[in-house]
Amino acid sequence: MRDTILIISEYSDVSTNKVMEYLHHHGEKKVIRINAEDVINLNGIDLGTDKSSVSISYLNREIVYDEMKSIWYRRGDLLCGKFNAYGTEAIESQVNRFLLEEWRVVRDFLLGVKRIDSSVFVLGDLSKEEYCNKLHNLNIAHTVGIKIPPTIITSRKSELEKFINLYGIIVTKAISNTPTFHFENSNYSTRGTAILTAEGINKLPDRFFPILAQKYIDKVLEVRVFYIKGDCYAMAIFSQDSEKTKIDYRNYDHEQANRIVPFKLPTIVKQRILKLMRALDLDTGSLDLIYTTHNEFVFLEVNPCGQFDWLSYNCNYYIERRIAKMLSNGKN
Amino acid sequence: MFTNDDNYPMLYSCCLPVKGYKNSIICDIQRQSYISIPSTLYEITMDIGKYSIGQLKMKYVDEDIEIIELYFRYLWEQKYLFYTPFPSSFPKLDIGDWDESSVITNAIIDIGEDIAYNFKDILHDLNVLGCRQLQIRCYSIKSLSFFDDALENTDSNNLDAIELIIAYSADIIDIPIEYLTNKYPLLSRIVLFNAPLNNQYLSGTGNCLIVYSTQQIDDETHCGAISKDFFSFNIKAFTESQNWNSCLNRKISIDKHGLIKNCPSMKRSYGSIVEKSLLEVALSANGFKDLWHIKKDDISGCKDCEYRYVCSDCRAYLDEDSMYSKPVKCRYDPYEAIHLE
Ligand code: SF4
């Protein structure tokens, strides 16, 4: 019988907890959650014999692929238990790197459920998360007709100067993800997006490590969209209301919380988002857009494993319930 | 503000007008507060979002427009209202949708003299039912080991918070209280009634509020007070009260005699905890869930009150015999809009 629901996540992920509560509430008995913080044991992958089968065990629970109904890759990773490679201490790090590569192939096989058994319902994809490239995403968004901010990646001061002369106000942010640095028992993080001033640029050497620069865009609203299997749940953030959050809403202003309300995307924008998600082959993701003072929607980025808890709660969307239903029914 | 005729004034969808007989309010369920407006302004409040400024100017005479403009300016200053040329981009919140992923969300266990509970079983059942909030009330003085025994199995997956409401005793203050809050991080509030003084402070762990209260409490009849202090202006409470009873929905209780009830103050019992389990009652007792459906819109008096979707309600101490009558401990009169404390 197909009754197992497998969820790959992280311990601290609130959305996963909520989805699981709904699954239990709706009577699902075999829900197995694997957190990236834990390790799994591979029982066996049996290929090309009479009894082709795949099974893994995790905290004393057996996961047999033949019994799998749905799998949700929410975030995190599937990690293998550590084994000591005896007698190779001298080249330990090289061996470990090799073992990691070995495990990667196994892991990708295990998570590539659709290719093992096409009747399993799959939501999310680790490989999409791993290969998610913000620059590709921007480029593809542009080709499907979504406006993006004029963007450059450069390591030359002269280029930055040209760029700022052209657009007046420009910003910079991490090309990958907002970094956190640990120093003397404290964690330091950046504010996400920061303004690049002419004075700041002036102080730079002629060549530097490549950075991203974008035209600063005056906005009326920030729009967040949680996309799932063809549906868009959108929310507007009136971040212009308070000065502090003007550049990036993560600079959250607690006293005068920004207004957050449900938002209905114009049909044309929605269609382009669907096109983008299809082009990126993502079945879930959260997108950041801004609505500009020139009445345009501008795409900033998409996170395949972005948070939706906040959006779901504030807009009363019950996205967790929707996901639980999909996993239960084994279809959209 | 009224300069661009094409703009539509709109309330942020988290700002929800509720009409009362005399007074109305706009609930801000995001910032969890509200503003009062006379019910005469309710009609125009309901027009917000429907008409552009140009259309409002056609609809109302000049003197009225002046008042409306002033009123909207006030709402705008309070950040309840904004102007947009695209009103259809801002749909209303679906406040009719309220859901919980558990059979029971909150429980009250009263502790009396004539029965000793098996807390292990009770907590097991509450966990299976998905209970998130637990209130334990104790009307007589108990030892520390008693609370240790009661709380021992509370580190279950489902509980979010536990409140202790217990009789003050000189033996259970300071060190024992700190001990409890350290050992049971789910404790969010400890109220010590019959205390010699009023005081409150945060525990050393920072997540439990300790309240000393001089209020004299002997039994469950202290409960059911209706006061602004107990109103909940959050989205969960507001949406729940649209279709469900704000006090009893998804609640289960044990009274001080060990009787399983909707609430310890209610008369109807579904059997003693000695003979029945919470699980049995919650899942299959006849009529157990009936009262959950008494929403504020069905209750006489309350249905004309502007606080009906944020009020805590009480179905135990009522004005009249009917289950649909107003809480007797409410002094607010929505027809006169007076006496709200
Ligand atoms: S109990 Fe009182 S305050 Fe609450 S809704 Fe009824 S009349 Fe209003």
Side-chain angles (χ1 to χ4, degrees), chain B residues 226-227 231 296 299-315 326-334 340:
Chain B
I226 303 292
S227 131
F231 288 178
K296 278 289 194 184
I299 297 168
S300 61
C302 297
K303 66 166 157 243
D304 291 318
C305 175
E306 61 275 28
Y307 299 105
R308 62 190 176 277
Y309 303 131
V310 295
C311 176
S312 47
D313 198 41
C314 170
R315 289 295 95 206
K326 194 177 136 174
V328 73
K329 294 188 191 180
C330 171
R331 295 191 57 229
Y332 185 62
D333 178 356
L340 180 68

Side-chain angles (χ1 to χ4, degrees), chain A residues 31-275:
Chain A
V31 183
I32 301 175
R33 169 179 183 167
I34 300 179
N35 292 309
E37 291 85 349
D38 298 319
V39 295
I40 60 157
N41 288 307
L42 183 68
N43 293 350
I45 298 174
D46 200 340
L47 306 171
T49 61
D50 295 345
K51 236 175 71 42
S52 292
S53 70
V54 180
S55 90
I56 50 183
S57 72
Y58 170 73
L59 300 176
N60 301 326
R61 294 187 79 173
E62 188 116 355
I63 304 157
V64 181
Y65 273 48
D66 279 346
E67 294 168 3
M68 193 120 74
K69 174 161 70 175
S70 342
I71 175 169
W72 180 28
Y73 171 75
R74 162 70 187 128
R75 49 172 49 203
D77 203 347
L78 207 57
L79 298 178
C80 182
K82 241 192 162 16
F83 293 94
N84 288 324
Y86 293 106
T88 60
E89 286 79 7
I91 50 166
E92 196 182 338
S93 65
Q94 294 172 60
V95 170
N96 282 344
R97 211 176 310 139
F98 170 67
L99 293 181
L100 201 64
E101 286 306 312
E102 290 285 280
W103 175 250
R104 281 236 160 123
V105 177
V106 176
R107 178 201 71 179
D108 290 349
F109 174 81
L110 290 173
L111 288 178
V113 182
K114 244 318 30 107
R115 293 165 80 179
I116 303 173
D117 184 342
S118 62
S119 59
V120 176
F121 174 77
V122 178
L123 181 64
D125 191 334
L126 169 66
S127 61
K128 299 287 158 40
E129 158 80 347
E130 272 190 343
Y131 301 117
C132 180
N133 184 304
K134 291 198 180 175
L135 303 179
H136 272 311
N137 296 350
L138 275 175
N139 194 28
I140 293 170
H142 179 67
T143 54
V144 301
I146 304 178
K147 273 233 170 325
I148 60 165
T151 305
I152 57 166
I153 314 286
T154 186
S155 56
R156 298 167 71 130
K157 184 179 181 174
S158 56
E159 285 297 310
L160 269 187
E161 283 168 346
K162 253 192 257 165
F163 196 63
I164 198 170
N165 285 339
L166 193 58
Y167 293 114
I169 308 179
I170 62 172
V171 296
T172 185
K173 60 179 180 182
I175 303 171
S176 54
N177 296 308
T178 306
T180 308
F181 300 105
H182 190 77
F183 179 66
E184 289 179 348
N185 295 324
S186 298
N187 284 323
Y188 297 86
S189 186
T190 79
R191 305 191 319 150
T193 305
I195 289 199
L196 270 177
T197 60
E199 299 88 76
I201 293 170
N202 208 9
K203 285 189 200 128
L204 290 171
D206 288 341
R207 310 287 307 238
F208 39 81
F209 189 85
I211 64 159
L212 178 147
Q214 249 170 7
K215 179 189 171 189
Y216 170 76
I217 295 172
D218 252 325
K219 64 197 170 202
V220 180
L221 296 170
E222 286 178 52
V223 177
R224 294 216 116 195
V225 181
F226 183 73
Y227 169 92
I228 183 162
K229 298 272 184 193
D231 285 332
C232 290
Y233 294 90
M235 153 178 108
I237 306 167
F238 288 76
S239 55
Q240 274 327 66
D241 288 355
S242 69
E243 281 299 313
K244 269 193 230 161
T245 48
K246 230 176 173 162
I247 303 301
D248 190 323
Y249 83 89
R250 274 166 287 200
N251 305 324
Y252 196 71
D253 186 341
H254 285 279
E255 281 124 59
Q256 248 333 3
N258 292 322
R259 287 301 189 189
I260 303 162
V261 297
F263 189 73
K264 191 167 174 286
L265 292 164
T267 317
I268 179 91
V269 178
K270 188 181 162 189
Q271 277 167 353
R272 285 181 183 156
I273 288 177
L274 300 190
K275 232 175 165 179

